[in-house]
Amino acid sequence: MDSASSTLEPVFTYVAHSISTVEQAFYRLPGSAIIERYVRSSHQNDPGRTLLEVILIILVIRTLMQSRTRADRNGKNFIEFSEKEIDELVDEWTPEPLTQPLTPAEEAELSAVSIVAGPNGPKPKLVNTGKTAYNLASLNFTGLAGNEHIKQKAIETLRKYGVGSCGPAGFYGTVDVHLELERDIADFLGTEEAILYSQGFSTISSVIPAFCKRGDIIVADRGVTLAIQKGIQISRSTVRWFDHNDLRSLEEVLQSVEKERKKKRAPLTRRFIVTEGIFERDGAMTDLPKLIELKTKYKYRLILDETFSFGSVGRTGRGLTELYNVPAEKVDMLIGSVAIGLCAGGGFCAGSKNVVEHQRINGPAFVFSASMPPLLAVSGSEGINVLRSSPSILASLQENIHAAHAILDRVDCITIPSHSISPIIHIYIRAPSNTLHPSTAAVSTKPSNPVSPLPRDAPQWDIEGEEKLLQEVVEEALAQGVMITKAKRLRGGMEISEARPSIRLAMTSALTKKETEKAVNVVKAALVKVLSKRR
Amino acid sequence: MALNRPSSSHSIFKKRSAQSPASAADYLSALSQADARARKTSSSSSSRSTPTATPALSFSSTTTGASDDTLLEGDMDNSDRLSLPPVPPTSEQVFTTVHTEFGHCANEAHRHTSQHDPNEKIRHVERDPPYYILISTYISYLILICLGHVRDFLGKRFHPSSYKHLMPRDGYAPLNSDFDSFYTRRLKKRIDECFAQPVTGVAGRTILLLDRISPDYNHTQIPTGTRTRALNISSYNYLGFAQARGGCADAVEESIKHYGVSTCGSRLEGGSCDLHTIGEALVAKFVGAEDSLISSMGFATNSTYIPAMVGKGCLVISDELNHSSIRFGVRNSGAHVRMFKHNNMANLEALLREVISQGQPKSHRPWKKILIIVEGMYSMEGTMVDLPGLLKLKKKYKFYLFVDEAHSIGAIGPHGRGVADYFGIDPNEIDILMGTFTKSFGAAGGYIAGKKALIDRLRIKGYSGPYAESMTPPVLTQIIASMSSIMGVTGADKPSSQIQNGHASPLRIGNGSSSTINEEPEYHHPGPIPPKYLPSWLNLAPELASGLEGSLRLRRLAFNSYYLHRGLHKLGFIIYGHPSSPIVPLLLFHPAKMLMFHRMMKDREVPIVTVVVGYPATPLITGRVRFCVSAAHTKEDVDEVLRACDEVGDVMDLKHGLGRGKRWDIEEVVKRAVELVNMKQEDVDDA
């Protein structure tokens, strides 16, 4: 015993010596006295706290040491395997094929997609038939596609700027013509500023996550298009859904959110209403003044997707704000498509200076993508000039829409969910009388559950059957010289809810009223022919 | 902290006397002689097919006529030393590109081929700087962060009006929280001068900057109305196809006249045109896959098609440095994600063994499928993927491989076909080849290529097919023209209108298009394409159709990449990445050096614009400047960049790479450039 203590003697002295050295070094540090005093006093007051803090420090160090790519070995569910077992498991594992090959039906549908030979326009020549057809499929609302003046401007731009911008906006991809188009859009709509994205579809999917973060609240329409669904999904915000285009349901949801927040005493977070001006899914239109009223009352910010209403409604095509005479400044983030509304390329988000500047650093599709080709930006600017200077285009578009409705409204085997001034007209097959159509179904008194994207008593459709019938209509119409298309969807649970199968007509001012009537009559005949066969 | 912009009149970087610039008169007379020659050769029809020792860039005689009006727009004085080549062309040489867009370079020695050497190691080596650099970098960030918080603290009390947008107001939460925007407000704002500089004209060899000043520490930027021409070593213009003149631009003009600018809709809903099918067949041929699809935006190619391949129950293994668009797509897909260390095959293998043996978290069911997503070349590091290593693992672990060739397609490989070409690997071993047209082809958008069954599935299941606008005709034409000029067209000597009798049998999507295309027996690099791949109206200039110009561009790019990469290395800088990569990152470390480097390069006698990147695009301490070399640069341009870096690097203490004894001085680098480029990689350090 004695000998053991004598052999350990040098070890003890060494430890004692090093502790005193460390202590001295510590006291030599400036400010060490303060730390010491703090530690001592806190230990005196609450010895448990010292332990807690030590544990905290250890945890912090551990977290810092773990790299992002670490193997997840410490989880409860980790099972230890020997190398040999792993080899066996690797050999055993057979992955599913990367993708399923197309079914014959899908293949038929894909090869039936109309392809235009040469320029697209109101009467393009089709590859499929080799003949020209009236075009009620492509989105050319104001007939800007093929405008000679725009072509001329595009060529001039090509000769000055080339095609690609060869860089993201942050790194020498901001060309003066982009800034000009941004200014033109802001002036046209009457907002402070606007920002350009290089693809219309990606615009709103990027705007939503730029502002909505985890913990924020999004109240969205149940019938929004895929781009918005994806933006909401990636934002990881808390989502509440209101019934499609039903502002009363919206108000109920807004009240319930407020109640929930008060109950939990949650801090104030950002809150957004996300909806569309004219819905891509069915052509319904939002009552903007009422929406603005609700948003102001409940202090929400409004993200409004005007992809289908910008460049198609309002006296000069400024969209819903012009139609309802609401100042565009009241819409916090107004998203539109340069590709669809102005027949060029890309999309935009208009709003206040803060809103726009924020996206220049935080909008993923803006920051990480090359800016749009300058010649498309100039085409967009010229498109705005055309709209500004000739409001008659919009008037004739409305006339054509009206004419189409007049014909289709008399067809009794279909229903039309679209608003009477929407440039896209969706056509549903009227359900056979023995099943209840959702609009005639007894309206349940209980509101839908705002957490679920599906409404209460979600209506069911025979999607496959209806799609097949509608495809027959499309092919029948094409045989008669009118190009139309089904509204194409991602089926099989890729969207939050299955949209009802429909045919989507896109009206254009480039056809005269007579031509429109002729084309829509062909569609009507095809509908009647195919759908009467069904019974 | 506010750095005073050195007044340009007595900048220390003007000591080098300007070389006597070629007089404008000399240049003009040479040009007019060249013009006359060009006209003569083009009128004597097909006698051009035999290339001379210097395959001169001559697109068509009309561009020469057009080019002098561009040159005469006040640029003829050449005071910026960028508008005219230092040596005027002899009457033998016909250059019809505009020198400011695509540099004139006739020296055949300044060419190289990017090809894998079997002995070469692909591992990414990060060189660390001395400790004092690391520590002072951390301290700089610490100071910036502390100062930022102090300013926020005081500002909120004494100047609340400027913090209004960060505070809750009338029941609205602030749009961006104080905490989230701290980095942007307090760090990035200080160096905002380096970002989002507006430009005009072509982003070619040079670029015209629209000058701006900020009177209030970058809160507002005011355009001054003046313009500065600068040497552009920043744009993704690898093959120099960003041109407003020349064969590709002519083709695009033709297409705008014919097609207009829009196709009005998504691919599946009335927005498809014949150019899409032609373009897709061509892209498939180019990358060596069965079929391909084209999307109108590069970012969206990843973000909208990845969710169509993987979903719940699938695992995506992603390189830690993958681009944001890939992360966006993976997050939207609902698949489980794991990351592995950048380009580290050992780390990947360990991860693969773990995930396959463990199966899905909690349930331990086997994964439905595992998709590994890597980039061919990484945009911030310039590193090249270890493709042979990956394919070795792929055989054993049966995962699917997705290679994002955004930066490598067109830029590397002896035939410009990307990483597979560089390593001499059959591209069909990669399941999904993705790439963009923004970079090498001077266009926009992206593609995905692979087996026909996969592509057809993606056409209907990807978000873009039904919902996103299709690619516009001018962009498609630029892609078709530039891509076919790299591949070359068979029978190019004959006028192409005779060969084609219209496109009566258009390549319809989903209708066995690949079977009609792949009539020829499969061979590795398909070589020139038959003219049926091009639209019938497209009359490609002979130089483009012969493929001579395409190969010239590839070899010029390879020379420039190797030269800049090795030149900087030899000067002693810390350089990341692979020498054949046109992306050359030079490590700066300190945040303040990023601004200073940018400014000192821009304020030189020959202004050079650079891209500086720091956190969060890179790890906190490895702030860097990223050069993007182009085939449009001449050797003299790269010399200029090297000289500039040498001077700035000495002032800013940036040379921490190669040991002093092994370094070369700048004159030696410039003189022995060709030797340097042709050296074996392992000899570079010791030479």
Side-chain angles (χ1 to χ4, degrees):
Chain A
M1 193 69 197
D2 208 20
S3 63
S5 70
S6 68
T7 47
L8 282 178
E9 198 74 0
V11 180
F12 285 136
T13 43
Y14 177 71
V15 169
H17 175 73
S18 48
I19 285 175
S20 68
T21 326
V22 169
E23 217 167 292
Q24 272 167 12
F26 177 72
Y27 285 124
R28 231 175 276 145
L29 277 178
S32 58
I34 302 171
I35 296 172
E36 192 213 352
R37 210 179 315 133
Y38 170 77
V39 172
R40 268 181 209 281
S41 67
S42 78
H43 186 76
Q44 214 162 29
N45 294 344
D46 184 3
R49 188 173 143 188
T50 318
L51 184 73
L52 199 75
E53 279 176 3
V54 168
I55 293 171
L56 264 179
I57 288 168
I58 291 171
L59 265 177
V60 165
I61 292 171
R62 184 169 163 271
T63 321
L64 285 179
M65 300 290 275
Q66 279 176 336
S67 77
R68 281 184 300 160
T69 55
R70 96 210 112 98
D72 197 7
R73 288 180 182 281
N74 304 319
K76 253 200 317 233
N77 290 302
F78 192 82
I79 309 170
E80 284 297 336
F81 290 108
S82 70
E83 287 298 300
K84 207 172 137 243
E85 283 169 320
I86 292 180
D87 280 333
E88 276 166 20
L89 283 166
V90 166
D91 283 343
E92 265 170 39
W93 182 64
T94 39
E96 283 181 9
L98 184 54
T99 47
Q100 301 295 334
L102 297 189
T103 63
E106 285 170 324
E107 204 154 308
E109 190 169 333
L110 189 56
S111 54
V113 169
S114 325
I115 299 173
V116 173
N120 202 348
K123 281 174 270 182
K125 190 175 164 208
L126 297 188
V127 171
N128 313 51
T129 57
K131 284 186 263 180
T132 58
Y134 287 118
N135 188 351
L136 293 182
S138 308
L139 307 170
N140 181 22
F141 302 140
T142 44
L144 294 175
N147 182 310
E148 287 303 323
H149 175 65
I150 294 180
K151 279 188 193 176
Q152 197 49 47
K153 282 282 179 188
I155 290 173
E156 282 168 25
T157 317
L158 165 74
R159 288 310 186 183
K160 197 170 161 215
Y161 295 89
V163 178
S165 61
C166 289
F171 300 136
Y172 309 102
T174 311
V175 182
D176 48 0
V177 294
H178 293 136
L179 301 175
E180 274 159 31
L181 177 56
E182 284 173 355
R183 213 160 31 237
D184 287 346
I185 290 170
D187 283 351
F188 189 55
L189 290 171
T191 59
E192 245 175 69
E193 279 188 29
I195 177 171
L196 278 182
Y197 286 78
S198 47
Q199 190 189 49
F201 175 82
S202 296
T203 309
I204 189 140
S205 318
S206 173
V207 172
I208 295 176
F211 294 104
C212 311
K213 309 283 179 198
R214 206 187 281 273
D216 294 344
I217 291 164
I218 295 178
V219 177
D221 189 291
R222 286 202 164 86
V224 292
T225 183
L226 181 78
I228 300 183
Q229 296 169 21
K230 289 299 151 188
I232 291 175
Q233 185 189 338
I234 210 153
S235 72
R236 294 174 173 164
S237 305
T238 312
V239 196
R240 295 289 177 267
W241 301 91
F242 65 94
D243 283 345
H244 176 45
N245 206 18
D246 180 351
L247 293 186
R248 216 160 6 157
S249 161
L250 169 65
E251 183 154 20
E252 280 162 19
V253 174
L254 296 181
Q255 282 166 350
S256 76
V257 170
E258 189 57 25
K259 218 186 287 170
E260 206 178 323
R261 188 175 81 88
K262 284 210 174 113
K263 206 168 77 189
K264 282 191 194 159
R265 296 211 192 128
L268 185 65
T269 53
R270 286 175 286 256
R271 293 169 301 187
F272 300 87
I273 297 174
V274 181
T275 186
E276 287 175 79
I278 288 180
F279 287 88
E280 184 271 336
R281 278 191 162 192
D282 61 2
M285 196 163 73
T286 298
D287 179 0
L288 189 64
K290 176 85 179 138
L291 185 64
I292 298 277
E293 189 192 309
L294 286 179
K295 141 207 146 66
T296 325
K297 182 172 166 199
Y298 291 92
K299 301 199 185 298
Y300 275 67
R301 291 189 173 93
L302 176 60
I303 302 183
L304 183 67
D305 185 353
E306 288 227 55
T307 298
F308 286 88
S309 47
F310 173 76
S312 66
V313 301
R315 197 183 66 86
T316 53
R318 288 170 165 91
L320 281 197
T321 49
E322 187 181 30
L323 184 72
Y324 286 112
N325 207 9
V326 172
E329 290 163 345
K330 299 235 168 165
V331 181
D332 299 86
M333 295 109 196
L334 195 157
I335 287 93
S337 172
V338 183
I340 293 171
L342 301 172
C343 286
F348 67 85
C349 171
S352 67
K353 186 168 185 295
N354 268 338
V355 164
V356 167
E357 291 307 317
H358 181 78
Q359 291 175 64
R360 292 195 195 277
I361 304 154
N362 296 292
F366 181 81
V367 175
F368 296 105
S369 161
S371 53
M372 73 158 89
L375 66 88
L376 293 181
V378 169
S379 304
S381 288
E382 287 307 314
I384 289 183
N385 284 345
V386 172
L387 291 185
R388 267 182 201 275
S389 56
S390 39
S392 62
I393 300 179
L394 272 302
S396 54
L397 172 65
Q398 282 306 325
E399 218 168 88
N400 288 348
I401 296 169
H402 188 76
H405 270 282
I407 293 166
L408 293 171
D409 282 347
R410 283 187 311 222
V411 184
D412 57 1
C413 51
I414 57 167
T415 54
I416 294 179
S418 305
H419 193 274
S420 62
I421 67 160
S422 152
I424 48 170
I425 303 175
H426 283 259
I427 299 174
Y428 290 159
I429 298 174
R430 187 186 288 276
S433 46
N434 54 353
T435 58
L436 282 173
H437 185 267
S439 64
T440 58
V443 182
S444 80
T445 43
K446 272 181 140 182
S448 315
N449 175 13
V451 180
S452 153
L454 295 176
R456 184 173 294 277
D457 310 321
Q460 297 290 326
W461 297 287
D462 171 20
I463 289 174
E464 222 168 284
E466 290 194 4
E467 292 257 5
K468 215 172 126 207
L469 278 174
L470 292 174
Q471 187 59 36
E472 273 178 53
V473 175
V474 168
E475 277 157 37
E476 173 65 28
L478 185 62
Q480 303 301 322
V482 178
M483 168 182 168
I484 56 174
T485 176
K486 256 181 359 182
K488 304 278 177 168
R489 307 280 168 214
L490 305 177
R491 295 293 178 191
M494 288 184 76
E495 304 195 16
I496 49 164
S497 59
E498 299 291 336
R500 181 162 183 196
S502 65
I503 281 177
R504 195 206 64 195
L505 303 184
M507 293 294 131
T508 171
S509 68
L511 289 172
T512 61
K513 192 176 168 199
K514 267 222 177 82
E515 289 168 326
T516 307
E517 282 172 346
K518 201 171 147 199
V520 176
N521 270 319
V522 169
V523 177
K524 174 187 161 188
L527 281 164
V528 171
K529 185 176 166 194
V530 172
L531 295 181
S532 58
K533 223 170 37 186
R534 168 182 64 146
R535 286 174 198 153
Chain B
M1 182 64 202
L3 295 158
N4 285 321
R5 174 180 282 271
S7 77
S8 56
S9 54
H10 28 76
S11 161
I12 48 170
F13 296 105
K14 290 224 169 152
K15 51 189 175 202
R16 213 159 57 82
S17 68
Q19 297 165 357
S20 60
S23 86
D26 280 357
Y27 187 76
L28 263 189
S29 70
L31 201 70
S32 64
Q33 280 173 19
D35 262 11
R37 275 178 59 86
R39 270 192 288 277
K40 214 159 62 191
T41 39
S42 67
S43 60
S44 65
S45 73
S46 62
S47 63
R48 291 165 172 245
S49 53
T50 48
T52 53
T54 55
L57 286 168
S58 42
F59 294 118
S60 70
S61 53
T62 54
T63 56
T64 319
S67 70
D68 50 21
D69 65 22
T70 326
L71 284 172
L72 289 172
E73 271 172 17
D75 285 340
M76 284 310 284
D77 59 345
N78 202 26
S79 59
D80 51 12
R81 305 219 342 264
L82 284 169
S83 303
L84 301 179
V87 189
T90 63
S91 56
E92 293 295 306
Q93 300 163 340
V94 185
F95 291 114
T96 47
T97 55
V98 182
H99 186 60
T100 51
E101 286 176 13
F102 194 93
H104 298 168
C105 168
N107 190 338
E108 271 300 288
H110 298 160
R111 310 281 185 265
H112 193 62
T113 307
S114 104
Q115 191 162 18
H116 180 56
D117 170 8
N119 303 320
E120 157 201 19
K121 295 246 185 337
I122 317 155
R123 272 297 301 278
H124 169 51
V125 204
E126 287 197 4
R127 290 182 204 82
D128 284 328
Y131 278 109
Y132 79 92
I133 294 280
L134 281 183
I135 292 166
S136 55
T137 307
Y138 276 120
I139 292 175
S140 327
Y141 275 105
L142 201 68
I143 293 173
L144 281 171
I145 290 168
C146 291
L147 215 61
H149 281 299
V150 168
R151 287 180 64 182
D152 274 3
F153 181 83
L154 296 177
K156 274 178 201 163
R157 274 144 193 90
F158 297 112
H159 211 278
S161 63
S162 47
Y163 287 83
K164 238 167 51 189
H165 62 288
L166 298 174
M167 298 293 168
R169 197 163 23 136
D170 348 311
Y172 287 93
L175 201 52
N176 45 354
S177 77
D178 181 356
F179 180 76
D180 286 350
S181 64
F182 180 80
Y183 173 79
T184 319
R185 285 181 299 120
R186 292 296 173 212
L187 279 80
K188 182 182 167 282
K189 190 114 233 163
R190 288 174 179 276
I191 57 168
D192 252 1
E193 184 187 315
C194 314
F195 306 114
Q197 166 91 46
V199 298
T200 184
V202 179
R205 175 182 154 264
T206 64
I207 196 164
L208 263 181
L209 306 177
L210 300 175
D211 300 327
R212 56 180 184 179
I213 50 163
S214 176
D216 53 2
Y217 302 103
N218 295 334
H219 284 285
T220 48
Q221 301 277 3
I222 300 167
T224 59
T226 56
R227 298 164 173 207
T228 308
R229 187 174 288 286
L231 185 61
N232 178 12
I233 187 122
S234 298
S235 292
Y236 302 135
N237 176 29
Y238 301 142
L239 290 182
F241 279 113
Q243 285 177 296
R245 308 274 159 197
C248 290
D250 292 343
V252 175
E253 178 171 340
E254 198 60 33
S255 83
I256 296 176
K257 281 184 187 152
H258 186 51
Y259 285 86
V261 289
S262 173
T263 52
C264 311
S266 66
R267 286 302 300 280
L268 298 181
E269 289 181 339
S272 287
C273 75
D274 48 355
L275 279 184
H276 288 116
T277 38
I278 292 170
E280 288 178 347
L282 189 69
V283 170
K285 194 78 181 164
F286 184 82
V287 299
E290 265 184 25
D291 202 354
S292 83
L293 62 83
I294 288 177
S295 143
S296 58
M297 180 189 187
F299 184 93
T301 315
N302 278 331
S303 69
T304 68
Y305 283 105
I306 289 176
M309 297 178 222
V310 286
K312 281 215 169 60
C314 303
L315 175 70
V316 172
I317 300 182
S318 164
D319 190 291
E320 61 178 341
L321 295 182
N322 272 351
H323 190 251
S324 159
S325 58
I326 297 175
R327 296 171 192 209
F328 201 102
V330 173
R331 260 170 73 183
N332 263 342
S333 72
H336 199 79
V337 200
R338 296 292 291 272
M339 285 195 276
F340 67 100
K341 283 214 177 76
H342 176 51
N343 225 0
N344 184 331
M345 291 304 124
N347 185 265
L348 174 63
E349 181 161 17
L351 182 63
L352 276 167
R353 292 177 75 82
E354 185 207 318
V355 293
I356 295 177
S357 63
Q358 295 294 323
Q360 298 187 32
K362 287 189 183 156
S363 71
H364 291 288
R365 283 198 202 134
W367 297 102
K368 285 185 182 159
K369 49 198 167 191
I370 295 178
L371 180 68
I372 292 194
I373 305 187
V374 292
E375 290 187 39
M377 196 137 58
Y378 289 84
S379 60
M380 287 298 160
E381 318 292 302
T383 41
M384 201 185 295
V385 65
D386 183 357
L387 193 60
L390 268 172
L391 290 175
K392 219 179 282 167
L393 290 180
K394 180 169 155 54
K395 286 214 179 68
K396 185 165 175 204
Y397 296 98
K398 296 170 280 192
F399 54 80
Y400 297 106
L401 183 58
F402 180 115
V403 180
D404 176 341
E405 296 220 63
H407 288 271
S408 50
I409 192 70
I412 58 170
H415 311 83
R417 312 289 160 85
V419 276
D421 188 26
Y422 179 83
F423 289 110
I425 288 170
D426 183 358
N428 284 306
E429 292 196 32
I430 302 167
D431 301 284
I432 306 129
L433 290 156
M434 179 267 167
T436 64
F437 303 117
T438 319
K439 280 94 183 180
S440 296
F441 305 102
Y447 67 85
I448 292 186
K451 293 270 179 292
K452 182 164 161 42
L454 166 79
I455 300 300
D456 276 348
R457 172 59 65 192
L458 294 182
R459 283 196 170 109
I460 59 169
K461 217 176 155 194
Y463 305 163
S464 286
Y467 290 106
E469 73 246 31
S470 59
M471 187 178 270
T472 58
V475 180
L476 278 165
T477 310
Q478 170 78 12
I479 294 163
I480 292 172
S482 56
M483 208 170 245
S484 53
S485 79
I486 301 172
M487 301 165 88
V489 184
T490 52
D493 295 335
K494 301 169 214 158
S496 59
S497 54
Q498 282 178 13
I499 299 165
Q500 288 200 324
N501 38 10
H503 41 103
S505 62
L507 310 153
R508 290 174 54 186
I509 55 172
N511 197 10
S513 60
S514 66
S515 62
T516 55
I517 294 162
N518 293 343
E519 286 162 355
E520 312 82 24
E522 274 288 307
Y523 46 105
H524 212 96
H525 288 294
I529 43 162
K532 66 172 180 182
Y533 279 87
L534 301 182
S536 57
W537 52 265
L538 181 66
N539 217 338
L540 218 53
E543 290 71 29
L544 292 180
S546 66
L548 274 180
E549 194 197 309
S551 90
L552 173 76
R553 284 175 191 252
L554 285 170
R555 288 180 302 135
R556 274 181 67 169
L557 174 64
F559 176 85
N560 290 342
S561 308
Y562 272 86
Y563 179 34
L564 183 62
H565 197 279
R566 289 186 173 164
L568 287 173
H569 179 72
K570 267 301 194 192
L571 287 174
F573 292 99
I574 299 186
I575 303 295
Y576 278 177
H578 194 279
S580 64
S581 136
I583 300 164
V584 185
L586 186 162
L587 275 284
L588 300 174
F589 302 103
H590 293 95
K593 282 182 186 170
M594 287 167 35
L595 173 65
M596 243 3 242
F597 189 91
H598 179 267
R599 196 178 276 179
M600 286 167 94
M601 293 294 268
K602 206 171 85 177
D603 287 348
R604 292 174 61 82
E605 186 195 0
V606 176
I608 301 172
V609 289
T610 52
V611 166
V612 291
V613 277
Y615 180 80
T618 69
L620 187 69
I621 59 154
T622 51
R624 63 195 67 173
V625 52
R626 187 189 60 179
F627 300 112
C628 291
V629 187
S630 163
H633 295 129
T634 60
K635 191 214 165 229
E636 289 73 30
D637 295 332
V638 184
D639 290 348
E640 189 67 50
V641 174
L642 286 169
R643 281 182 206 281
C645 286
D646 185 56
E647 287 172 21
V648 176
D650 281 335
V651 175
M652 285 186 359
D653 183 29
L654 293 174
K655 297 180 174 174
H656 300 292
L658 206 56
R660 275 186 194 282
K662 292 176 178 172
R663 287 185 203 166
W664 288 359
D665 70 5
I666 179 70
E667 292 311 325
E668 191 169 4
V669 171
V670 170
K671 210 170 74 203
R672 295 171 66 183
V674 177
E675 185 191 339
L676 191 63
V677 166
N678 291 319
M679 240 177 234
K680 281 209 160 110
Q681 181 64 30
E682 58 265 30
D683 300 336
V684 171
D685 282 1
D686 303 317

